[in-house]
Amino acid sequence: MRIRRWARAVRWYLRELTGEAEYDRHCERHRRHHPLAPVPTRREYQALRTRHQEARTHSRCC
């Protein structure tokens, strides 16, 4: 049981570190707020996120 718990913790950490969990949270939010609209693919989400970050340059330090 301890190994399974440890493996889940490592999996959670890696998903948070790589941003994979962020896409999943976005999909859940999108389905909840826009139930009839199609969910963007991971590639579409990354492009949208990049455009959003580039448009908000004042929020970055560098």
Side-chain angles (χ1 to χ4, degrees):
M1 208 55 180
R2 294 171 84 194
I3 293 173
R4 189 175 293 166
R5 190 178 323 148
W6 181 83
R8 266 188 287 178
V10 169
R11 182 177 183 269
W12 174 86
Y13 180 76
L14 290 175
R15 285 175 46 82
E16 292 293 329
L17 187 66
T18 61
E20 187 175 342
E22 186 178 331
Y23 173 71
D24 294 338
R25 285 190 293 270
H26 173 75
C27 289
E28 290 173 20
R29 233 180 0 260
H30 185 80
R31 286 184 187 110
R32 198 172 358 164
H33 295 288
H34 309 287
L36 300 177
V39 177
T41 63
R42 188 175 300 273
R43 181 175 283 181
E44 292 169 340
Y45 169 72
Q46 289 296 336
L48 177 67
R49 184 170 175 243
T50 301
R51 282 195 310 265
H52 180 72
Q53 286 176 339
E54 289 175 352
R56 300 182 67 211
T57 56
H58 66 278
S59 66
R60 295 189 304 192
C61 67
C62 307

